[in-house]
Amino acid sequence: MSNSSVKLISASVLATMLAACGGDGDGNTKPTPTPAPSPTPTPAPGEPVSRTLTGTVRAANGDPIPYAAVYVAGNGSGKLVSVRPPSRAEVDPSAACQASIPANVLAGTCSGADGSFSLTLPPSSTPPSQLVIQKGSLKTTKSIACGQEATCALPSGATTVGAGDNNAYPAVAVVTGNYDQIENVLAKLGDANLTDEVAGVYGRVDSAGRFVYGSEYGSKLTIIDGGGMPLISENAAQIGSYPTWASFLDGTRPLLDANGKPLFSVIFIDCGNDADGLLSDPAVRARLKAYVDAGGRLYVTDWSYNFVEQVFPQAAKFEGDPDDANTPGSPDAAKSGSGGLHLNAAINLPALATWLKAVPVVSNVAGTAPGNPESDCASTGTVNGALNSDGTLPVGDFLGAWVHIAGFHDAAGSLVVSSGSGVDFDGLVNRPLTFIRAEGNQGGKLIYSSYHTADECPSTRFWPQERVLQFLIFESI
């Protein structure tokens, strides 16, 4: 064979090798084409599919509801099972939510701190038709429409608790006080449209953000007259027309139904009322204790602390209380705080801190950070997230003689908000400001806060400290 023939054969072999490796024969390498991905086939009708439901659980006003149970019943129908979460939900809301999902469901999960969830169902040829959403006594069954797709993104109407279904919300009561209106917060979270005069789940607020008394008629809210002189004098006649708190405390009106169940899922006792003098009667204290032992929740703010201390002395050590957890201090002895204070408080409950980052609040006057009602009452702005950049919460509107918590007798409760480690606030380092505690074995709870709603600076929006109270409402109902 001649040399020229060898060269031709070698060139031919080299060209073939280069072509096989993506070359063009000139030493240049061509990229190997990536084949187009095959489209995911849509299962035929009747073919089993493993579906994932996604969405965000929200209250009637659109705010995310954290750590709500979301599940599909065993037969896929979503039949509602009434289960109240364990009473220690305040320690780990996520774990308590998981424990509240019935064992016999087809699939269940919990919404995150931002209300979002992803629920994967076992393979089935029949799409689910109903979804159960439950947060304590707040519960509903929603109709859903999913086809053969593997992921079914649910619209907001299918995951908003109370959207067109006010019966999803539990019955609650508010005992009016002098310097607090938790009814403002209840009305705002239960109303999808604050700009009209149509009441929501728990009544409505006016254009200034104050509760409209009478708007709750026919709703899930009962207003109880706590006595005293309401801060807004024009409400005095209306508030005076309601049943009195004294009539419930003395047994004239019941707190429990014929089966021994609480008539109200939660009783909110606003700061400052005239009925706490009745607590000297052992029968009155026994009625309140029976209500909580049966699974009722007491949500108390500031000057009304006697309803916690005198009935449940083990719950906290208020200033001036003895060391004996079973002995209450003298009534009103802890009303010793200095008025006009404000601070950037520490959040001691991680689940709360996560949720607070996801909700809008009234801003400071400059519109650059969360506002404080003590110094930013003129603010017209809103910012997303209730916490400062360092993770603290602006809190203000402390009354003169606001109630001091000195500490706790045991570790049974959970500290929610405090002045912070190493921070002296009104004479005590790391002063407790808000706590939540389980009582009894039927889901009873005590929630207490030394601060309250921004009563002197109301708004149709939420102040940062009101967002904490809103979160605790979710945890208490």
Side-chain angles (χ1 to χ4, degrees), residues 50-190:
S50 179
R51 297 175 179 83
T52 297
L53 311 180
T54 62
T56 300
V57 180
R58 297 186 183 279
N61 70 336
D63 286 339
I65 298 180
Y67 310 110
V70 181
Y71 58 90
V72 174
N75 60 2
S77 68
K79 182 180 180 181
L80 183 62
V81 181
S82 180
V83 178
R84 195 165 198 172
S87 60
R88 290 191 60 76
E90 73 280 4
V91 176
D92 184 348
S94 178
C97 174
Q98 291 288 345
S100 74
I101 300 172
N104 61 341
V105 300
L106 185 67
T109 189
C110 291
S111 63
D114 61 355
S116 66
F117 68 89
S118 178
L119 175 62
T120 299
L121 308 178
S124 172
S125 59
T126 305
S129 61
Q130 291 185 313
L131 184 74
V132 179
I133 299 173
Q134 183 163 342
K135 177 72 174 180
S137 297
L138 184 152
K139 54 197 175 187
T140 189
T141 300
K142 289 290 187 179
S143 295
I144 58 176
C146 294
Q148 290 297 92
E149 67 270 26
T151 300
C152 181
L154 299 176
S156 60
T159 59
T160 298
V161 181
D165 180 15
N166 287 359
N167 288 329
Y169 286 77
V172 301
V174 171
V175 181
T176 61
N178 285 324
Y179 304 107
D180 188 14
Q181 287 183 295
I182 197 68
E183 52 267 43
N184 293 354
V185 177
L186 285 166
K188 287 188 285 188
L189 74 84

Side-chain angles (χ1 to χ4, degrees), residues 100-316:
S100 74
I101 300 172
N104 61 341
V105 300
L106 185 67
T109 189
C110 291
S111 63
D114 61 355
S116 66
F117 68 89
S118 178
L119 175 62
T120 299
L121 308 178
S124 172
S125 59
T126 305
S129 61
Q130 291 185 313
L131 184 74
V132 179
I133 299 173
Q134 183 163 342
K135 177 72 174 180
S137 297
L138 184 152
K139 54 197 175 187
T140 189
T141 300
K142 289 290 187 179
S143 295
I144 58 176
C146 294
Q148 290 297 92
E149 67 270 26
T151 300
C152 181
L154 299 176
S156 60
T159 59
T160 298
V161 181
D165 180 15
N166 287 359
N167 288 329
Y169 286 77
V172 301
V174 171
V175 181
T176 61
N178 285 324
Y179 304 107
D180 188 14
Q181 287 183 295
I182 197 68
E183 52 267 43
N184 293 354
V185 177
L186 285 166
K188 287 188 285 188
L189 74 84
D191 194 346
N193 186 357
L194 296 178
T195 63
D196 61 23
E197 295 187 359
V198 178
V201 178
Y202 295 124
R204 69 178 182 90
V205 295
D206 61 20
S207 59
R210 288 199 180 278
F211 187 76
V212 177
Y213 293 98
S215 67
E216 80 290 349
Y217 292 143
S219 76
K220 291 304 197 72
L221 171 63
T222 295
I223 297 292
I224 299 173
D225 180 9
M229 178 60 69
L231 186 64
I232 305 302
S233 60
E234 58 264 33
N235 292 330
Q238 181 67 40
I239 292 176
S241 70
Y242 291 114
T244 65
W245 185 218
S247 69
F248 286 91
L249 294 176
D250 66 15
T252 302
R253 289 183 169 88
L255 294 174
L256 303 176
D257 64 18
N259 297 315
K261 302 295 184 182
L263 287 171
F264 308 109
S265 180
V266 189
I267 298 176
F268 299 89
I269 307 179
D270 285 346
C271 168
N273 65 78
D274 284 351
D276 54 358
L278 297 176
L279 291 169
S280 60
D281 184 346
V284 169
R285 299 197 300 272
R287 288 187 191 96
L288 280 178
K289 187 175 186 305
Y291 165 78
V292 175
D293 286 346
R297 284 91 188 272
L298 286 182
Y299 188 121
V300 181
T301 58
D302 204 15
W303 282 5
S304 293
Y305 85 104
N306 288 317
F307 290 101
V308 174
E309 181 201 46
Q310 298 300 310
V311 184
F312 307 94
Q314 73 280 7

Side-chain angles (χ1 to χ4, degrees), residues 17-54:
M17 293 173 63
L18 288 171
C21 295
D24 59 6
D26 294 325
N28 299 319
T29 301
K30 293 182 178 179
T32 302
T34 301
S38 301
T40 302
T42 300
E47 183 178 341
V49 180
S50 179
R51 297 175 179 83
T52 297
L53 311 180
T54 62

